[in-house]
Amino acid sequence: MPPKLTSLPRLSCCPNTRINRLARRILSQCLKYRRYYLGPNMCHLGHCRDVCIGLAIPPFDSVGLGSSTSNAVFIIINKSNDGFIDLVKKPSFYARSHSSDPRDHRQTFLASSSLSSSPSSPSSASSGAMRVVAAAATEAEDERVARRFWNKCRRESAVAMYTPFVVCLASGTLEMEAFRNYLAQDVHFLTAFAQAYELAEECADDDDAKVVICELRKAVVLELKMHDSFMKEWGFDPEAETTSNSATKKYIDFLLATASGKVEGGKAPVKIATPFEKTKVAAYTLGAMTPCMRLYAFLGKELQALVEPDDISHPFRRWIDNYSSDDFEASQKTEDLLDKLSVSLTGEELGVIEKLYQQAMKLEIEFFSAQPITQKTVVPLSRMHDHAQKLFIFSDFDLTCTVHDSSAILAEVAILIAQKVSHDNDNNLPSKRSSVDLRMIWDSLSKQYAEEYEQCLQSALPSVKEEEFNYNGLCEALVLVSDFEKRANARVVESGVLKGISLEDIKRAGEHLKLQDGCLGFFQNIVNNEKLGANVHLLSYCWCGDLIRSSFSSGGLDTVNVHANELNYEDSISTGTIVNMMESPRDKFQAFEEILKKKNDGSSLSVYIGDSVGDILCLLQADIGIVIGSSLSLRRLASHFGVSFVPLFSGLVKRQKEFAASDGTTWKAPSGVLYTVSTWAEIHAFILGFENH
């Protein structure tokens, strides 16, 4: 066993002394607090003008059978970033080598990365190194922990944006007493926020990190002064005594406990004894604080986009301008610092930070949701709609609920069955055609569909784009689309591509069908909300209703009403023919109207969620039509007939203004207006709000 390294060699491959210091610092942490061993020298894998690349091997095992190379650390230090360590990560080649000698790892790496070159061809070595570095830099960018955690919390950010407090604030109709109460609660929170920064600064062992944290703490002090000026501007007494509500207190307790080393999600409180453990607590604290800064910057930008530049009448313009301004850079600084402090942490420790980040986001939503709002609001829909009205939730299935189109799924099932027949040479199985034949047939059908669909849409467009909504003209154009869809279905039946699929295989495919993120949870909450009493219906062109029913049943949604085409079966084996019940936009619209007429003996409120041209009539007829995704064909056709697409959040802000100016609570969207969202999280937040998330 080699001796434990007590001093680090100079990294002569990199001329930048600052980089050497940073490299030595992180490697020293590995040596001192993780007991990493190096050989007589750090294994230098390669370098070029801007980088040096090295390898550190973890401790040898207790019985001397070799080091645990699966946990080796791959280090890239980028000179052009003034010493910032871009990546500390183990590459995949470790899995292919079991040698305990770093030089053997070097050979494996050289063989797999093209870093190796003969002395006579230095340029190839440099280009090989740069390819590796470029790939590593891309991976490092994707692996930034702050960005990754924020992306995972997109649902929570949507929920925060759709809270009654934020919608009323954005519309300018928020009652002043509600805003005063918010400011008072935020003062309690920001005071604790500054205290948490102070604790984090004490734990940070890097001088640069200490400077950044100090600047962030000073920014919070300025923010508190801004709140004080808000209070005075609107005639509030900043000295008035207020107590923190339960949501604020819960958030403060969480924040200060984390900054003190009592980490939720950890196995035990962190013992702040060594410099590395202090750095870890600082990273945990930033993980709990970053969501607040990131969310406020996000909300500021979203709200600022809805305020006219010359509108000085908006009562909360200063608040919005502050958090949307380029000067509000604390969010980016906090994220950069979190990335820096996390660079030397283990996967388990990063998992703790992620839990802290997610917990902080939930506490942010609770903070906004806890603000007392007594005025009438448009969100959440489940709370504001008259329960004497029947609520109908309609949705398309393909690419609205699913990630992949169901027609392609069914074709793939048929092809896999044909492969099984060929492999097993089982003449008792119904399919006699090869998988290659079926693949060619399906590819030909798909290509023909795509080409003719584009031609059909082009033929359906008016010669001159309509300035105002022309419903009758749109209906006439959709006749061409309906005829096209029926011809396409007839070709599928004629091809026999769906023949021989068993009902069991279809149900199994449905159980594993990938749904859009948040879709299943939305419908589960809708169906399980007995007080809401919503009627849920899926309207789909899908050739097989059994596929849809199986998909939703696997999520415990057996009561969802499915309206789709069906396959014909003989002894539970598809004959390849389709019972056509829903082939066109007109078929969907007729089913939509019949359901409302049949189920409704009084007033109702209908919401339709769709993504394509086939949904357009239902979307326009519903009280609230929501387009999910960005179908170019839908927008292209609809906009030519005067249909307007409005982001749902901005539509809600506008509707909130209208609600504040009148006593009406009707939710019928203006004629020819459809609302747009990018995720199911927005739909969930709008209809159900935070309590059911």
Side-chain angles (χ1 to χ4, degrees), residues 583-597:
E583 297 183 276
S584 67
R586 175 60 60 179
D587 291 342
K588 277 195 174 185
F589 180 60
Q590 288 177 346
F592 173 83
E593 284 193 315
E594 288 174 4
I595 292 167
L596 286 178
K597 185 177 180 180

Side-chain angles (χ1 to χ4, degrees), residues 625-645:
I626 301 176
V627 178
I628 186 168
S630 55
S631 169
L632 295 179
S633 57
L634 169 61
R635 291 173 184 261
R636 179 183 173 197
L637 179 64
S639 62
H640 270 77
F641 289 95
V643 175
S644 300
F645 294 88

Side-chain angles (χ1 to χ4, degrees), residues 460 466 468-479 586 617 620 641 671:
E466 303 280 359
E468 296 183 359
F469 178 44
N470 183 352
Y471 180 77
N472 291 331
L474 177 62
C475 289
E476 292 176 7
L478 290 174
V479 171
R586 175 60 60 179
L617 293 180
L620 290 167
F641 289 95
S671 179

Side-chain angles (χ1 to χ4, degrees), residues 527-558:
V527 169
N528 294 330
N529 192 328
E530 295 181 2
K531 183 179 179 181
L532 190 61
N535 291 270
V536 181
H537 298 266
L538 294 178
L539 277 58
S540 176
Y541 283 178
C542 178
W543 296 324
C544 181
D546 290 312
L547 184 75
I548 302 175
R549 283 185 284 272
S550 176
S551 176
F552 273 70
S553 292
S554 64
L557 294 169
D558 297 307

Side-chain angles (χ1 to χ4, degrees), residues 25-100:
R25 179 181 299 166
I26 190 170
L27 289 173
S28 293
Q29 287 183 344
C30 290
L31 290 166
K32 186 173 182 181
Y33 304 119
R34 304 296 182 77
R35 299 181 299 105
Y36 274 71
Y37 289 91
L38 302 181
N41 280 293
M42 174 179 169
C43 181
H44 172 214
L45 295 176
H47 71 277
C48 62
R49 288 182 302 171
D50 293 325
V51 302
C52 63
I53 304 170
L55 176 68
I57 301 296
F60 280 56
D61 62 32
S62 58
V63 294
L65 295 179
S67 63
S68 178
T69 56
S70 62
N71 293 318
V73 177
F74 178 51
I75 301 175
I76 292 179
I77 304 168
N78 191 334
K79 184 178 71 175
S80 61
N81 276 356
D82 193 25
F84 181 76
I85 297 175
D86 282 332
L87 180 65
V88 178
K89 188 176 179 66
K90 61 179 182 181
S92 59
F93 69 82
Y94 289 125
R96 301 194 299 270
S97 175
H98 302 284
S99 171
S100 60

